[in-house]
Short mmCIF file of all heavy atoms in Angstrom, two decimals:
data_model
loop_
_atom_site.label_atom_id
_atom_site.label_comp_id
_atom_site.label_asym_id
_atom_site.label_seq_id
_atom_site.Cartn_x
_atom_site.Cartn_y
_atom_site.Cartn_z
N GLN A 565 -14.92 -4.29 -47.63
CA GLN A 565 -14.10 -4.20 -46.43
C GLN A 565 -14.91 -3.64 -45.26
O GLN A 565 -14.82 -4.13 -44.13
CB GLN A 565 -12.87 -3.33 -46.69
CG GLN A 565 -11.86 -3.37 -45.55
CD GLN A 565 -10.58 -2.63 -45.88
OE1 GLN A 565 -10.61 -1.43 -46.16
NE2 GLN A 565 -9.44 -3.32 -45.84
N LEU A 566 -15.72 -2.61 -45.51
CA LEU A 566 -16.56 -2.07 -44.45
C LEU A 566 -17.56 -3.09 -43.96
O LEU A 566 -17.83 -3.20 -42.75
CB LEU A 566 -17.26 -0.80 -44.93
CG LEU A 566 -16.37 0.41 -45.19
CD1 LEU A 566 -17.18 1.54 -45.83
CD2 LEU A 566 -15.71 0.89 -43.90
N ARG A 567 -18.11 -3.86 -44.89
CA ARG A 567 -19.06 -4.91 -44.49
C ARG A 567 -18.37 -5.94 -43.59
O ARG A 567 -18.91 -6.36 -42.56
CB ARG A 567 -19.65 -5.58 -45.73
CG ARG A 567 -20.80 -6.55 -45.44
CD ARG A 567 -21.40 -7.08 -46.73
NE ARG A 567 -21.83 -6.00 -47.62
CZ ARG A 567 -21.24 -5.67 -48.76
NH1 ARG A 567 -20.18 -6.36 -49.18
NH2 ARG A 567 -21.69 -4.67 -49.49
N GLY A 568 -17.16 -6.33 -43.99
CA GLY A 568 -16.41 -7.28 -43.17
C GLY A 568 -16.07 -6.71 -41.80
O GLY A 568 -16.10 -7.43 -40.78
N ALA A 569 -15.73 -5.42 -41.75
CA ALA A 569 -15.45 -4.78 -40.46
C ALA A 569 -16.68 -4.80 -39.57
O ALA A 569 -16.58 -5.06 -38.36
CB ALA A 569 -14.97 -3.35 -40.68
N GLY A 570 -17.85 -4.52 -40.16
CA GLY A 570 -19.08 -4.57 -39.39
C GLY A 570 -19.40 -5.96 -38.87
O GLY A 570 -19.89 -6.13 -37.75
N GLU A 571 -19.10 -6.97 -39.67
CA GLU A 571 -19.32 -8.35 -39.22
C GLU A 571 -18.39 -8.71 -38.07
O GLU A 571 -18.81 -9.38 -37.11
CB GLU A 571 -19.12 -9.30 -40.40
CG GLU A 571 -20.22 -9.19 -41.46
CD GLU A 571 -19.88 -9.89 -42.76
OE1 GLU A 571 -18.74 -10.42 -42.88
OE2 GLU A 571 -20.74 -9.91 -43.67
N LEU A 572 -17.14 -8.24 -38.14
CA LEU A 572 -16.23 -8.47 -37.02
C LEU A 572 -16.70 -7.73 -35.77
O LEU A 572 -16.62 -8.26 -34.65
CB LEU A 572 -14.82 -8.00 -37.39
CG LEU A 572 -14.04 -8.89 -38.34
CD1 LEU A 572 -12.76 -8.18 -38.80
CD2 LEU A 572 -13.70 -10.23 -37.70
N ALA A 573 -17.21 -6.52 -35.94
CA ALA A 573 -17.71 -5.76 -34.80
C ALA A 573 -18.88 -6.46 -34.13
O ALA A 573 -19.03 -6.42 -32.90
CB ALA A 573 -18.12 -4.36 -35.25
N ALA A 574 -19.72 -7.12 -34.93
CA ALA A 574 -20.84 -7.87 -34.36
C ALA A 574 -20.35 -9.13 -33.66
O ALA A 574 -20.90 -9.54 -32.64
CB ALA A 574 -21.84 -8.22 -35.46
N ARG A 575 -19.31 -9.74 -34.21
CA ARG A 575 -18.79 -11.00 -33.64
C ARG A 575 -18.01 -10.75 -32.36
O ARG A 575 -17.96 -11.62 -31.48
CB ARG A 575 -17.91 -11.68 -34.68
CG ARG A 575 -17.54 -13.10 -34.34
CD ARG A 575 -17.37 -13.98 -35.57
NE ARG A 575 -16.29 -13.56 -36.46
CZ ARG A 575 -16.46 -13.16 -37.72
NH1 ARG A 575 -17.69 -13.09 -38.24
NH2 ARG A 575 -15.43 -12.83 -38.46
N TYR A 576 -17.41 -9.57 -32.25
CA TYR A 576 -16.62 -9.22 -31.07
C TYR A 576 -17.17 -7.92 -30.47
O TYR A 576 -16.57 -6.84 -30.62
CB TYR A 576 -15.14 -9.06 -31.45
CG TYR A 576 -14.51 -10.32 -31.99
CD1 TYR A 576 -14.42 -10.55 -33.36
CD2 TYR A 576 -14.00 -11.29 -31.12
CE1 TYR A 576 -13.84 -11.71 -33.86
CE2 TYR A 576 -13.43 -12.46 -31.61
CZ TYR A 576 -13.35 -12.66 -32.98
OH TYR A 576 -12.78 -13.81 -33.46
N PRO A 577 -18.28 -7.99 -29.75
CA PRO A 577 -18.95 -6.75 -29.31
C PRO A 577 -18.19 -5.96 -28.25
O PRO A 577 -18.51 -4.79 -28.03
CB PRO A 577 -20.29 -7.26 -28.76
CG PRO A 577 -20.04 -8.69 -28.41
CD PRO A 577 -19.05 -9.20 -29.41
N ASP A 578 -17.19 -6.57 -27.60
CA ASP A 578 -16.47 -5.82 -26.58
C ASP A 578 -15.22 -5.14 -27.11
O ASP A 578 -14.53 -4.44 -26.36
CB ASP A 578 -16.11 -6.73 -25.40
CG ASP A 578 -15.20 -7.88 -25.79
OD1 ASP A 578 -15.24 -8.30 -26.96
OD2 ASP A 578 -14.46 -8.37 -24.91
N VAL A 579 -14.90 -5.30 -28.40
CA VAL A 579 -13.79 -4.54 -28.95
C VAL A 579 -14.29 -3.15 -29.33
O VAL A 579 -15.49 -2.90 -29.44
CB VAL A 579 -13.12 -5.23 -30.17
CG1 VAL A 579 -12.73 -6.66 -29.84
CG2 VAL A 579 -14.02 -5.17 -31.40
N TRP A 580 -13.35 -2.25 -29.54
CA TRP A 580 -13.70 -0.90 -29.95
C TRP A 580 -13.73 -0.81 -31.48
O TRP A 580 -13.25 -1.70 -32.19
CB TRP A 580 -12.67 0.10 -29.41
CG TRP A 580 -12.87 0.42 -27.96
CD1 TRP A 580 -13.52 1.49 -27.43
CD2 TRP A 580 -12.38 -0.33 -26.82
NE1 TRP A 580 -13.49 1.46 -26.06
CE2 TRP A 580 -12.80 0.35 -25.66
CE3 TRP A 580 -11.65 -1.51 -26.68
CZ2 TRP A 580 -12.50 -0.10 -24.37
CZ3 TRP A 580 -11.35 -1.97 -25.40
CH2 TRP A 580 -11.77 -1.27 -24.26
N ILE A 581 -14.29 0.26 -31.98
CA ILE A 581 -14.25 0.65 -33.39
C ILE A 581 -13.72 2.08 -33.41
O ILE A 581 -14.10 2.89 -32.56
CB ILE A 581 -15.66 0.61 -34.02
CG1 ILE A 581 -16.26 -0.79 -33.96
CG2 ILE A 581 -15.63 1.13 -35.47
CD1 ILE A 581 -17.77 -0.81 -34.20
N GLN A 582 -12.85 2.38 -34.36
CA GLN A 582 -12.41 3.77 -34.49
C GLN A 582 -12.25 4.13 -35.96
O GLN A 582 -11.82 3.31 -36.77
CB GLN A 582 -11.09 4.01 -33.74
CG GLN A 582 -9.91 3.18 -34.22
CD GLN A 582 -8.61 3.53 -33.53
OE1 GLN A 582 -8.48 4.59 -32.91
NE2 GLN A 582 -7.61 2.66 -33.63
N SER A 583 -12.61 5.36 -36.27
CA SER A 583 -12.41 5.88 -37.62
C SER A 583 -12.53 7.40 -37.57
O SER A 583 -12.56 7.99 -36.49
CB SER A 583 -13.40 5.26 -38.61
OG SER A 583 -13.00 5.52 -39.94
N HIS A 584 -12.59 8.00 -38.76
CA HIS A 584 -12.74 9.45 -38.90
C HIS A 584 -14.06 9.73 -39.62
O HIS A 584 -14.50 8.95 -40.46
CB HIS A 584 -11.61 10.04 -39.76
CG HIS A 584 -10.23 9.76 -39.26
ND1 HIS A 584 -9.56 8.59 -39.54
CD2 HIS A 584 -9.39 10.51 -38.51
CE1 HIS A 584 -8.36 8.63 -38.99
NE2 HIS A 584 -8.22 9.79 -38.36
#
Side-chain angles (χ1 to χ4, degrees):
Q565 189 174 59
L566 292 173
R567 189 175 304 109
E571 290 167 356
L572 285 170
R575 192 148 63 242
Y576 298 96
D578 61 333
V579 307
W580 282 263
I581 299 164
Q582 61 175 343
S583 193
H584 303 84

